[in-house]
Amino acid sequence: MPSSISAFEGTCVSIPCRFDFPDELRPAVVHGVWYFNSPYPKNYPPVVFKSRTQVVHESFQGRSRLLGDLGLRNCTLLLSNLSPELGGKYYFRGDLGGYNQYTFSEHSILDIINTPNIVVPLEVVAGTEVEVSCMVPDNCPELRPELSWLGHDGLGEPAVLGRLREDEGTWVQVSLLHFVPTREANGHRLGCQASFPNTTLQFEGYASLDVKYPPVIVEMNSSVEAIEGSHVSLLCGADSNPPPLLTWMRDGTVLQEAVTESLFLELDEVTPREDGVYACLAENAYGQDNRTVGLSVMYAPWKPTVNGTVVAVEGETVSILCSTQSNPDPILTIFKEKQILGTVIYESELQLELPAVTPEDDGEYWCVAENQYGQRATAFNLSVEFAPVILLESHCAAARDTVQCLCVVKSNPEPSVAFELPSRNVTVNETEREFVYSERSGLLLTSILTLRGQAQAPPRVICTSRNLYGTKSLELPFQGAHRLMWAKIGPVGAVVAFAILIAIVCYITQTRRKKNVTESPSFSSGDNPPVLFSSDFRISGAPEKYESERRLGSERRLLGLRGEPPELDLSYSHSDLGKRPTKDSYTLTEELAEYAEIRVK
């Protein structure tokens, strides 16, 4: 008998059975007994069928009968109206009479089912044709099943092969379905139905398709823009079966990986170093897929760098390159003293050409880079080297017995300065600190020559300046030489001039007084005449002494004299004229000479 056999609930099953015994026994009658779940009579197992007495267990009454002929050694059993409790082991015992009775150890296990069996290949790969079969037992001679497929639309047309005999003598009904699955068929629920004509019996079974397919990346960021310092999250999601190994990479370096359907790459406080292309790779045993996403980090310009000439000779062409880095590209501008010399928009480099530079091009420049995220600037200096130029404010001035000469030179690099006195065949260098004081400010060098004890006429003075690019000479003009003339008139001449001045003032006063008397009709001797006291007399214009002092101080500052000059006292009254001149650095006569000169001016 078959080791196992199955049948649908409510139908019947025929358990094929054949047995044998020795020929020499030659029994007159052969009997047989079917037991349920036990082969030993002493255990009193339920009797399914007994040919000798027809007495059976109540569970099998009206349900069992022998289809085979025991005399022909055929013990096939038919069970009808199957219910779940009839499922189990069935044993056959041969009875030839007397002691010739034997229970065979071989048995058949009956399985009561209510669903068809759908057989799907162990591996279903997308794009590869597969065969799915529906198999149901066909061991009931009274009822024959019919098969049909459920949910097979789009998969293919079924082919019914019919009834097949199995190795152990059982029968099955088979229907086949051929199709080429796609990734969309993964998880599809495919069904098979077994029905029995002329009955209400129907049995359905279902199987879900497990279609294997390579990964396809279905979810990913598009290009990402982020501001420097912000948080960025990149997502990669893939569809595959089995789940893929997802890997985030950049420039061949693995940043993160996991077996999952979606994977986030978290980037905290991004910097320009994170700017670039990121790749997501998805792979399993059936294939792989990859995609990339660009991350653009927006940031303010870096501090510009300046490469180019910083020292040039007058007349040369100067080329200056200012460059920076930012995202987006910046506006680059080069300034000098708030004047725009060059600018470019949305470029990272600016080339400035200065043809034939002049000393006016010397100075500080600024390169400024800016975009919507910030501004940075770099200062640089251009040094233009040129031959000396002696400026027009260079001159000499005399005061008392001292001559001071001012020579202002513009030059780069710093020049040497010498004063020549051709009439005396003397040359004074700036290294002679006793006579020459020099001070440099930017491109200007100011040198002052001081000559004391010059009782004679001022000498000719020539200022000569030189550096490695040339030499320049200029005879310095004298300013205020007439002061020495007044000083040389002497005290007597000064007193005479002062007396003449007083006489002129008195004359004018008397003339005005007479004119007033003559022209006034109401004048009488009884009226008090106007009286002019000597203490009220002042030199006309004396209040302007402060203007005199201011002008004198300006001239002294122009000459660069060190120390405070002696103050001039011009407030003398006529009562002081007879006094002897003091021995101050300026005598009264000299003061009057200065005053008269100022009034003339």
Side-chain angles (χ1 to χ4, degrees):
M1 65 182 72
S3 59
S4 64
I5 192 170
S6 60
F8 284 104
E9 181 180 359
T11 64
C12 67
V13 63
S14 172
I15 302 176
C17 174
R18 294 185 65 83
F19 68 100
D20 201 2
F21 54 87
D23 293 337
E24 60 269 19
L25 294 181
R26 297 180 182 180
V29 179
V30 179
H31 291 280
V33 180
W34 282 91
Y35 292 120
F36 181 65
N37 279 340
S38 177
Y40 305 111
K42 61 181 181 180
N43 293 333
Y44 301 103
V47 176
V48 177
F49 174 80
K50 190 174 184 179
S51 62
R52 188 183 291 275
T53 63
Q54 302 295 318
V55 176
V56 298
H57 189 271
E58 59 182 6
S59 300
F60 296 95
Q61 289 182 1
R63 292 182 173 185
S64 62
R65 64 188 176 94
L66 193 64
L67 292 182
D69 185 350
L70 296 179
L72 299 176
R73 306 178 186 185
N74 187 333
C75 53
T76 300
L77 178 67
L78 177 66
L79 298 176
S80 302
N81 194 20
L82 296 176
S83 58
E85 67 270 13
L86 299 184
K89 298 177 182 180
Y90 288 82
Y91 296 87
F92 177 72
R93 180 180 176 84
D95 182 5
L96 303 184
Y99 295 100
N100 295 321
Q101 297 182 21
Y102 182 77
T103 301
F104 296 91
S105 59
E106 293 84 354
H107 60 277
S108 184
I109 300 176
L110 175 61
D111 184 20
I112 308 299
I113 63 173
N114 52 25
T115 58
N117 180 28
I118 299 177
V119 180
V120 180
L122 294 177
E123 185 175 78
V124 178
V125 180
T128 303
E129 185 180 47
V130 297
E131 178 185 274
V132 179
S133 62
C134 177
M135 303 177 66
V136 296
D138 188 9
N139 295 306
C140 178
E142 299 173 356
L143 296 173
R144 299 295 183 188
E146 293 182 355
L147 300 179
S148 60
W149 288 93
L150 304 175
H152 68 288
D153 295 341
L155 296 180
E157 293 300 323
V160 179
L161 292 184
R163 192 166 183 259
L164 297 178
R165 187 176 187 278
E166 296 180 306
D167 294 339
E168 293 185 327
T170 58
W171 295 84
V172 292
Q173 193 75 248
V174 179
S175 179
L176 302 179
L177 184 64
H178 293 266
F179 61 95
V180 177
T182 62
R183 66 176 56 246
E184 291 76 19
N186 183 46
H188 182 79
R189 199 161 180 256
L190 186 63
C192 178
Q193 182 184 75
S195 59
F196 295 87
N198 303 319
T199 69
T200 59
L201 297 176
Q202 285 187 345
F203 302 93
E204 295 179 356
Y206 291 89
S208 294
L209 297 179
D210 184 18
V211 180
K212 309 296 184 182
Y213 53 91
V216 173
I217 296 177
V218 295
E219 186 176 13
M220 195 169 186
N221 302 81
S222 57
S223 296
V224 177
E225 288 187 357
I227 300 176
E228 181 178 12
S230 63
H231 176 84
V232 174
S233 180
L234 301 179
L235 170 63
C236 178
D239 175 37
S240 71
N241 186 26
L245 172 64
L246 291 180
T247 305
W248 275 108
M249 304 178 67
R250 183 186 179 207
D251 297 333
T253 301
V254 175
L255 304 178
Q256 189 174 354
E257 63 179 2
V259 177
T260 180
E261 293 182 351
S262 61
L263 181 63
F264 284 92
L265 177 63
E266 306 290 346
L267 300 175
D268 295 323
E269 298 182 355
V270 293
T271 66
R273 290 190 298 272
E274 275 75 49
D275 191 288
V277 177
Y278 292 77
C280 177
L281 175 65
E283 56 184 336
N284 63 11
Y286 301 94
Q288 66 177 22
D289 189 20
N290 67 83
R291 285 178 59 185
T292 60
V293 58
L295 172 60
S296 181
V297 178
M298 318 301 286
Y299 57 98
W302 291 359
K303 187 176 180 65
T305 58
V306 178
N307 298 320
T309 305
V310 293
V311 177
V313 179
E314 183 179 13
E316 290 182 346
T317 297
V318 172
S319 178
I320 298 172
L321 176 65
C322 175
S323 61
T324 185
Q325 182 176 329
S326 70
N327 192 13
D329 285 334
I331 299 175
L332 275 174
T333 307
I334 294 182
F335 295 90
K336 182 177 187 292
E337 297 176 354
K338 298 183 180 180
Q339 179 182 358
I340 297 177
L341 302 180
T343 185
V344 292
I345 298 176
Y346 304 138
E347 294 186 22
S348 59
E349 291 184 352
L350 171 59
Q351 186 87 25
L352 177 64
E353 296 285 344
L354 298 176
V357 293
T358 65
E360 285 69 27
D361 295 318
D362 189 286
E364 184 181 57
Y365 292 73
W366 284 89
C367 179
V368 179
E370 60 180 330
N371 61 14
Q372 61 264 44
Y373 299 103
Q375 181 188 83
R376 296 294 298 274
T378 296
F380 62 95
N381 288 297
L382 172 62
S383 178
V384 179
E385 297 185 343
F386 54 95
V389 177
I390 300 178
L391 304 186
L392 295 179
E393 56 259 36
S394 302
H395 68 280
C396 290
R400 293 180 294 169
D401 61 347
T402 300
V403 173
Q404 285 193 325
C405 295
L406 178 71
C407 186
V408 182
V409 181
K410 185 175 183 180
S411 173
N412 189 21
E414 183 176 350
S416 62
V417 176
F419 294 93
E420 300 179 26
L421 287 71
S423 61
R424 302 183 186 181
N425 196 24
V426 174
T427 300
V428 181
N429 296 319
E430 59 182 333
T431 56
E432 302 180 53
R433 301 297 184 186
E434 180 181 357
F435 303 101
V436 179
Y437 170 77
S438 297
E439 180 177 308
R440 184 172 177 87
S441 175
L443 298 178
L444 296 181
L445 176 66
T446 303
S447 293
I448 301 174
L449 171 67
T450 303
L451 300 175
R452 295 181 176 85
Q454 301 297 313
Q456 304 301 324
R460 289 175 59 221
V461 178
I462 298 175
C463 176
T464 301
S465 176
R466 62 171 52 86
N467 65 9
L468 57 91
Y469 297 106
T471 302
K472 186 70 175 180
S473 297
L474 176 69
E475 181 174 347
L476 304 180
F478 269 82
Q479 296 180 0
H482 49 277
R483 293 184 182 178
L484 290 179
M485 178 188 72
W486 279 101
K488 297 183 187 305
I489 292 177
V492 176
V495 170
V496 172
F498 187 63
I500 293 172
L501 181 63
I502 293 176
I504 292 173
V505 172
C506 292
Y507 174 77
I508 294 174
T509 303
Q510 291 296 332
T511 302
R512 287 182 177 178
R513 184 182 303 169
K514 290 179 180 180
K515 184 177 181 180
N516 291 336
V517 171
T518 304
E519 293 178 356
S520 175
S522 61
F523 178 78
S524 64
S525 60
D527 295 333
N528 294 325
V531 178
L532 181 65
F533 295 95
S534 61
S535 60
D536 296 331
F537 182 82
R538 294 290 185 269
I539 298 175
S540 176
E544 285 87 0
K545 72 171 184 175
Y546 300 105
E547 176 67 19
S548 169
E549 294 174 356
R550 186 185 68 79
R551 292 173 180 266
L552 184 58
S554 299
E555 294 183 2
R556 287 183 174 274
R557 283 193 298 274
L558 180 62
L559 290 172
L561 291 176
R562 288 165 290 180
E564 294 293 331
E567 297 182 358
L568 301 181
D569 185 7
L570 302 181
S571 60
Y572 292 96
S573 68
H574 66 282
S575 62
D576 298 322
L577 293 177
K579 294 183 180 180
R580 185 180 181 86
T582 63
K583 294 183 179 180
D584 292 338
S585 57
Y586 279 126
T587 64
L588 175 61
T589 303
E590 292 172 333
E591 291 177 1
L592 290 174
E594 292 280 358
Y595 172 70
E597 177 188 347
I598 292 169
R599 292 299 298 162
V600 170
K601 288 183 178 179

